[in-house]
Amino acid sequence: MLANQIGYYSLILGLLLSVLLCGVSIKDFNKTNKQINQNILSLSFLQLVFVIVSFLSLIVSFINSDFSNETVFNNSHTTKPLFYKISGTWGNHEGSLLLWLLVLTLFIFLFLIKSREQPKKYRILTLLFQQIIIIGFFLFVLITSNPFNYLFPIPNEGLGLNPILQDPALAIHPPILYLGYVGTSIIFSSSLAAVTQNYVTKEWGQHIKKWVLVSWIFLTIGIMLGSIWAYYELGWGGFWFWDPVENVSLMPWLTLTALLHCIVVLERRASLTSWVVILSITTFTLSMCGTFLVRSGILNSVHTFANDPARGIFILIFLFALIVLSLGIFFIFHKENNKSSNNFFWLSRETSILINNWFMMYFLAVVLIGTVYPIFLDVISSEKISVGPPFYHKLIVPFLIPFLLFMSLGPRLKWIKSKIENKNSLIITFIISVMLTFFIIKNLTADLLFYTVLISAAFFLFFTTLKELFIKKFNNISQTVSHFGFSLLILSILFNSILSSEIITNIKIGERYDYNKGEIFFKKVEERKESNFNSIIASFEIKDKNGKTIELKPEIRIYNQPIIITSEADIRTTLLEDKFLVMNLVKGNEYFNIRYQIKPFMVWIWVSVLLLSLGGLMSLFKKEI
């Protein structure tokens, strides 16, 4: 109970400090001193301390199973393991927003420390814009989503955390994803400050690039962790399902990627200043849209946190105010210093980056329409539809072909004006890519022409970036590693989709099921009791056509609080393929329904995303551009 009081009043003090920070900053703005008032840094640190205290108070309440706290009561239980009690702190709506607020205050404090060399007025304006966002989130938490609501009489037991959220990957997925989301707020605030001060320059580009990279790296890793969790926990046997909440994390990633490439042009030539600012505003807007969709109750997804319309309305009004503010500042203050610098020669690296930005915006438009259209249709006509993978595949996949070709050729072009060098080498590489693809897939798919062209483009990017790694003696290695990782990602996804196989059948203990590539034998089941669930563990022997046998042990878990039955897949992973088995009990029957999948190159999908992130990390810590 004491922890609840400390946490709640720490939030109120943090809000008051936001107001005080705004006042002190405005007062210091017109002073002639070159450095900002030291009190601003002290107040920002104190605000961070109060939010940390509030967050730690919530963690203590979860650890102690303090059911006088409504958030703890709704999302915890005495039998829940300690690790999931702690992760349950941010595995709910109220706690996740408190974590969001913690990262907001942390990032602005770090910004003030890391930007000492930047102009004083720019730093103060960035702080003011960021405090507007922070005040909005303080009010949102305190008015609609208080994590310290008091319950009386105090319940003896809690309702428990959704069992599918009791998972190690999902315990670290939200904090990492939030670091990516909230990092876009600093990009947003600093871009508005730079526009106001007419400071959208090469120097600003070099400064803000680090924050773009930090957000992009965390968002990339966060999306990957969520994908891994969905793959093995939800029992669907896939890594991406175009679920609306997956899409709202992909959209800011697309704009961040486009922004990262445009910042490189800004550093080199002080060009694309308007587009950089628009992308900065759009990226944060999409992050906020994700917050609105997840917490408004509009979306129906396993990932959504809340279904309170009042919360959605609050975020929608707040988001609308931020958009109006940002667009007003952009149109009033933004000046294109050198319009001629935006005239690019048709064959140059700048042009290739711009063209790939167009592709990114097209992909963004497809994902946005596929996510939002069902919502508008429901509002207008009360007709419910769901937009599934075929929509995205038909609209996105064909455009991947030119996108991959531009990715292959763009980095080989020079800045300002260029010509294609080593034409023979590129032609030979492309021919090898086409021939290799044809021989690999000629017997695997009916759609031979389309997949040959698509996979050839992916192989072309793969071979050109691989060659770049060694021939240029690791010059610009961060870019090459990321592009190599992306080519590996596309190849892994394509071969995974072409070569995957699936068996779905009903089977009982002692039975054998023969299929064209082997045999499944259901040996036995055994029961096991844990602190917060009972488990039925099945044992299957799977023999392939070469006579090689593996044993897989999927589970059915019956959780005690809340009473929910979940299916836990067993996955045997090798470098070449995953063998994935999940089962469900057929009601009123001695049969079990099993889904057995062979998923080639799954591990390479995760490795390729790590390579993407590694490229970003290498760029972040590189001393020179």
Side-chain angles (χ1 to χ4, degrees):
M1 192 182 298
L2 179 61
N4 289 339
Q5 299 298 318
I6 292 172
Y8 177 70
Y9 287 110
S10 293
L11 280 178
I12 292 176
L13 289 171
L15 174 60
L16 293 175
L17 280 171
S18 274
V19 177
L20 184 58
L21 264 167
C22 290
V24 174
S25 300
I26 292 168
K27 186 177 179 181
D28 192 46
F29 184 77
N30 289 317
K31 290 187 177 179
T32 55
N33 52 312
K34 291 186 178 181
Q35 289 297 323
I36 62 172
N37 189 331
Q38 194 63 30
N39 289 334
I40 292 175
L41 195 61
S42 301
L43 288 171
S44 179
F45 176 70
L46 192 58
Q47 182 184 53
L48 172 62
V49 168
F50 278 125
V51 178
I52 290 173
V53 168
S54 181
F55 190 69
L56 289 176
S57 299
L58 188 59
I59 290 177
V60 168
S61 296
F62 268 88
I63 291 173
N64 293 333
S65 295
D66 180 4
F67 299 125
S68 67
N69 182 314
E70 186 179 7
T71 304
V72 178
F73 168 72
N74 287 328
N75 299 282
S76 192
H77 190 268
T78 52
T79 62
K80 196 164 67 169
L82 177 62
F83 179 76
Y84 295 122
K85 284 184 178 180
I86 295 172
S87 64
T89 307
W90 55 81
N92 59 84
H93 170 73
E94 294 81 6
S96 67
L97 281 171
L98 188 54
L99 177 61
W100 187 294
L101 193 55
L102 172 61
V103 181
L104 276 170
T105 53
L106 172 65
F107 272 34
I108 189 57
F109 177 68
L110 292 175
F111 175 85
L112 290 173
I113 292 174
K114 294 289 184 181
S115 62
R116 295 183 191 275
E117 304 300 319
Q118 299 300 314
K120 171 193 162 184
K121 289 188 175 182
Y122 159 72
R123 295 174 73 197
I124 289 177
L125 283 172
T126 302
L127 173 66
L128 285 170
F129 288 127
Q130 189 73 0
Q131 286 301 327
I132 290 171
I133 299 169
I134 289 172
I135 288 171
F137 270 90
F138 266 121
L139 292 174
F140 183 43
V141 170
L142 289 169
I143 295 172
T144 73
S145 310
N146 187 357
F148 300 104
N149 279 338
Y150 182 68
L151 281 180
F152 187 83
I154 300 172
N156 294 322
E157 193 54 89
L159 299 179
L161 181 68
N162 189 335
I164 66 170
L165 302 180
Q166 296 181 36
D167 182 84
L170 206 69
I172 57 174
H173 160 66
I176 291 176
L177 196 65
Y178 291 169
L179 286 167
Y181 274 153
V182 179
T184 64
S185 68
I186 287 290
I187 301 165
F188 171 82
S189 299
S190 64
S191 65
L192 293 185
V195 167
T196 307
Q197 292 297 298
N198 196 23
Y199 183 53
V200 186
T201 61
K202 291 182 180 181
E203 293 74 23
W204 178 76
Q206 292 169 3
H207 158 67
I208 203 61
K209 183 182 178 182
K210 295 176 182 177
W211 291 99
V212 175
L213 279 167
V214 166
S215 299
W216 184 84
I217 291 165
F218 279 118
L219 195 55
T220 303
I221 295 172
I223 292 171
M224 180 193 72
L225 288 171
S227 180
I228 291 172
W229 168 77
Y231 170 58
Y232 69 76
E233 180 64 31
L234 296 182
W236 297 338
F239 54 90
W240 193 265
F241 307 98
W242 298 104
D243 180 272
V245 180
E246 290 177 328
N247 292 349
V248 297
S249 65
L250 180 62
M251 288 189 286
W253 186 88
L254 288 169
T255 52
L256 260 181
T257 306
L259 176 60
L260 187 56
H261 288 78
C262 286
I263 287 285
V264 176
V265 178
L266 180 64
E267 285 180 299
R268 294 281 180 173
R269 294 192 54 188
S271 302
L272 302 178
T273 55
S274 299
W275 185 231
V276 165
V277 174
I278 289 169
L279 282 175
S280 301
I281 294 170
T282 304
T283 301
F284 177 66
T285 302
L286 288 171
S287 296
M288 286 289 292
C289 282
T291 306
F292 163 66
L293 290 170
V294 171
R295 287 164 173 81
S296 62
I298 286 177
L299 296 180
N300 182 21
S301 165
V302 294
H303 303 77
T304 50
F305 277 119
N307 55 3
D308 184 354
R311 293 166 173 171
I313 291 169
F314 186 103
I315 296 179
L316 192 60
I317 294 170
F318 183 44
L319 175 60
F320 181 75
L322 288 175
I323 292 172
V324 170
L325 172 68
S326 58
L327 291 179
I329 288 171
F330 176 75
F331 286 115
I332 293 170
F333 292 99
H334 182 61
K335 298 172 185 174
E336 195 70 64
N337 294 328
N338 187 5
K339 292 185 179 180
S340 63
S341 65
N342 287 335
N343 297 322
F344 302 143
F345 184 67
W346 73 274
L347 192 61
S348 64
R349 188 175 292 192
E350 298 95 313
T351 303
S352 72
I353 288 174
L354 193 58
I355 290 171
N356 268 17
N357 261 242
W358 295 344
F359 280 110
M360 286 284 186
M361 293 306 100
Y362 169 73
F363 298 148
L364 171 65
V366 171
V367 177
L368 183 63
I369 291 168
T371 305
V372 174
Y373 174 69
I375 298 170
F376 280 106
L377 188 66
D378 186 20
V379 170
I380 294 168
S381 65
S382 297
E383 182 182 347
K384 292 188 181 293
I385 66 164
S386 114
V387 177
F391 169 81
Y392 298 101
H393 294 168
K394 286 179 181 178
L395 288 177
I396 289 177
V397 172
F399 287 89
L400 273 177
I401 297 167
F403 179 72
L404 292 169
L405 292 175
F406 275 108
M407 273 189 73
S408 306
L409 298 174
R412 277 132 208 91
L413 300 176
K414 294 179 181 177
W415 296 100
I416 302 176
K417 190 172 182 179
S418 182
K419 60 181 180 179
I420 299 177
E421 298 176 350
N422 301 320
K423 295 177 186 176
N424 293 337
S425 173
L426 288 171
I427 292 170
I428 291 169
T429 304
F430 186 72
I431 292 172
I432 290 171
S433 301
V434 173
M435 291 176 65
L436 178 63
T437 303
F438 180 77
F439 285 119
I440 289 173
I441 71 166
K442 63 178 180 178
N443 297 320
L444 298 177
T445 177
D447 201 353
L448 184 62
L449 177 61
F450 176 72
Y451 275 105
T452 298
V453 176
L454 179 57
I455 297 175
S456 295
F459 265 130
F460 185 52
L461 176 60
F462 179 86
F463 288 133
T464 50
T465 49
L466 191 63
K467 191 169 91 172
E468 193 93 352
L469 269 174
F470 296 104
I471 289 181
K472 292 204 172 182
K473 298 180 180 178
F474 301 99
N475 184 33
N476 203 6
I477 188 171
S478 56
Q479 171 197 281
T480 309
V481 167
S482 284
H483 283 196
F484 178 75
F486 187 77
S487 68
L488 185 61
L489 175 65
I490 298 298
L491 283 171
S492 302
I493 290 172
L494 289 172
F495 283 121
N496 180 275
S497 65
I498 293 171
L499 299 172
S500 289
S501 61
E502 180 179 67
I503 301 292
I504 301 176
T505 187
N506 292 336
I507 190 171
K508 63 181 179 180
I509 301 169
E511 268 193 347
R512 296 179 186 271
Y513 177 81
D514 293 317
Y515 64 104
N516 59 351
K517 293 183 180 179
E519 177 189 82
I520 300 172
F521 174 48
F522 191 171
K523 284 174 62 178
K524 60 180 180 179
V525 295
E526 56 187 34
E527 294 187 13
R528 188 180 71 204
K529 190 169 184 178
E530 299 290 341
S531 61
N532 61 328
F533 65 85
N534 293 328
S535 181
I536 299 171
I537 304 171
S539 180
F540 289 87
E541 279 187 359
I542 298 173
K543 185 186 294 185
D544 63 22
K545 59 185 177 182
N546 298 319
K548 186 178 178 181
T549 302
I550 63 167
E551 187 174 18
L552 294 176
K553 294 186 175 183
E555 294 182 47
I556 295 174
R557 292 181 179 177
I558 302 99
Y559 284 83
N560 55 17
Q561 193 66 24
I563 300 173
I564 290 178
I565 299 175
T566 67
S567 296
E568 305 293 321
D570 191 15
I571 306 170
R572 181 67 56 87
T573 299
T574 66
L575 287 175
L576 293 179
E577 64 185 13
D578 277 13
K579 292 182 177 178
F580 177 104
L581 184 64
V582 66
M583 70 173 184
N584 291 286
L585 185 61
V586 179
K587 286 186 179 180
N589 207 316
E590 60 183 345
Y591 281 87
F592 290 79
N593 178 264
I594 64 165
R595 180 199 296 253
Y596 174 62
Q597 295 178 315
I598 298 175
K599 310 287 290 185
F601 305 110
M602 281 303 301
V603 72
W604 293 104
I605 293 175
W606 319 132
V607 169
S608 61
V609 177
L610 289 174
L611 282 173
L612 264 174
S613 306
L614 177 62
L617 274 172
M618 293 167 80
S619 180
L620 183 62
F621 292 106
K622 189 169 58 174
K623 291 184 179 179
E624 298 180 358
I625 300 169

